[in-house]
């Protein structure tokens, strides 16, 4: 009976802790809990090895960076109160998307903008039969700038061979580029969208 009581207490404590976390913030992925005036505990669900977690400012200056080493749940405490007044972002770079949630610092106080949680889906690149296929999911139908560079060989910079901005009235951007036989080689594609930049080498 004592064991049953102990287990029940543990379950109740765990549920209470989760309720506290969810009460502060829950977007389905980020969980934020302010334990006290200085310490913020961030929990990320369903992370994978190799995912990149960062804290950055509005100028994309990275203040903290960590590569996830264990799959599952990531939890870490931060003292954010020493940061200068301004807007910052918790950001998780996953395989196919980048998730971020902003927070602000004002006179040593931390505030979170839960409604501004954002997911930016990465462009995908597939090459088949000398054709480059590009696709991008954008829930807000944001434009996608595409820059294709060709490797010019050792000690030479990549040469820009094509640049355009793709727009669509749907949530899916798609484009195909034919590679001419005389230009077969190594390429770098830079994508710019929704304030993010992604680079793909093919």
């Amino acid at each position: 009976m004592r064991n049953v009581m102990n287990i029940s207490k543990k379950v109740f404590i765990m549920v209470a802790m989760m309720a506290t976390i969810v009460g502060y913030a829950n977007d389905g992925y980020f969980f934020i809990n302010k334990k006290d005036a200085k310490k913020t505990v961030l929990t990320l669900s369903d992370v994978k090895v190799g995912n990149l977690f960062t804290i950055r400012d509005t100028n994309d200056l990275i203040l903290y960076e960590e590569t996830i080493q264990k799959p599952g749940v990531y939890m870490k405490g931060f003292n954010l109160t020493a940061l200068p007044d301004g807007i910052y972002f918790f950001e998780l770079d996953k395989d196919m998307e980048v998730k971020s949630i902003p927070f602000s610092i004002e006179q040593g106080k931390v505030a979170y903008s839960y409604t501004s949680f954002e997911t930016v889906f990465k462009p995908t690149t597939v090459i088949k039969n000398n054709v480059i296929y590009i696709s991008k999911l954008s829930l807000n139908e944001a434009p996608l700038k595409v820059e294709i560079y060709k490797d010019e060989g050792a000690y030479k910079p990549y040469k820009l061979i094509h640049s355009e901005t793709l727009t669509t009235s749907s949530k899916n951007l798609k484009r195909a580029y034919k590679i001419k036989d005389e230009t077969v080689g190594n390429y770098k594609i830079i994508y710019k969208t929704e304030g993010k930049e992604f680079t793909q080498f093919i």
Side-chain angles (χ1 to χ4, degrees):
M1 184 69 176
R2 181 176 297 176
N3 289 338
V4 172
M5 290 297 294
N6 287 340
I7 292 172
S8 298
K9 287 180 181 179
K10 289 179 181 178
V11 171
F12 176 77
I13 291 171
M14 288 177 65
V15 171
M17 287 176 63
M18 285 300 296
T20 301
I21 292 173
V22 173
Y24 282 103
N26 179 2
D27 54 38
Y29 200 87
F30 283 84
F31 299 87
I32 299 172
N33 179 18
K34 284 190 68 177
K35 296 194 69 173
D36 52 48
K38 291 186 176 182
K39 190 173 183 179
T40 296
V41 177
L42 175 71
T43 303
L44 304 175
S45 63
D46 193 30
V47 297
K48 295 181 180 179
V49 175
N51 289 171
L52 182 65
F53 171 71
T54 58
I55 300 176
R56 62 178 179 83
D57 64 13
T58 53
N59 296 315
D60 282 333
L61 177 65
I62 295 176
L63 308 174
Y64 178 83
E65 181 176 286
E66 181 179 353
T67 301
I68 303 299
Q69 301 295 325
K70 295 181 179 180
V73 176
Y74 169 92
M75 181 182 290
K76 198 174 189 73
F78 298 93
N79 181 359
L80 305 170
T81 59
L83 292 172
D85 288 1
I87 305 294
Y88 302 88
F89 301 87
F90 292 122
E91 192 166 273
L92 185 70
D93 190 328
K94 304 185 71 182
D95 294 335
M96 300 301 297
E97 61 192 15
V98 178
K99 293 179 175 287
S100 64
I101 187 169
F103 65 92
S104 63
I105 305 293
E106 185 174 356
Q107 297 181 352
K109 294 183 179 179
V110 186
Y112 304 94
S113 181
Y114 310 128
T115 57
S116 299
F117 172 79
E118 183 180 70
T119 298
V120 176
F121 295 94
K122 297 181 180 181
T124 60
T125 310
V126 176
I127 184 167
K128 185 177 181 181
N129 298 328
N130 283 354
V131 178
I132 301 173
Y133 297 93
I134 292 171
S135 61
K136 166 76 168 66
L137 175 63
S138 177
L139 300 181
N140 59 359
E141 301 174 9
L144 173 67
K145 184 174 183 179
V146 180
E147 297 176 348
I148 303 177
Y149 296 81
K150 184 178 184 299
D151 186 357
E152 291 291 287
Y155 309 109
K156 293 182 180 179
Y158 277 85
K159 179 182 178 181
L160 178 64
I161 60 173
H162 182 77
S163 177
E164 70 173 311
T165 299
L166 307 179
T167 59
T168 181
S169 57
S170 71
K171 293 178 172 55
N172 289 289
L173 280 165
K174 293 185 178 180
R175 183 61 60 93
Y177 300 96
K178 176 68 174 178
I179 302 176
K180 296 180 180 179
D181 291 340
E182 61 267 25
T183 62
V184 170
N186 297 319
Y187 297 86
K188 176 175 70 174
I189 303 178
I190 297 178
Y191 301 103
K192 298 177 182 179
T193 184
E194 301 180 70
K196 306 290 183 187
E197 182 175 304
F198 306 101
T199 301
Q200 175 75 52
F201 292 92
I202 58 174

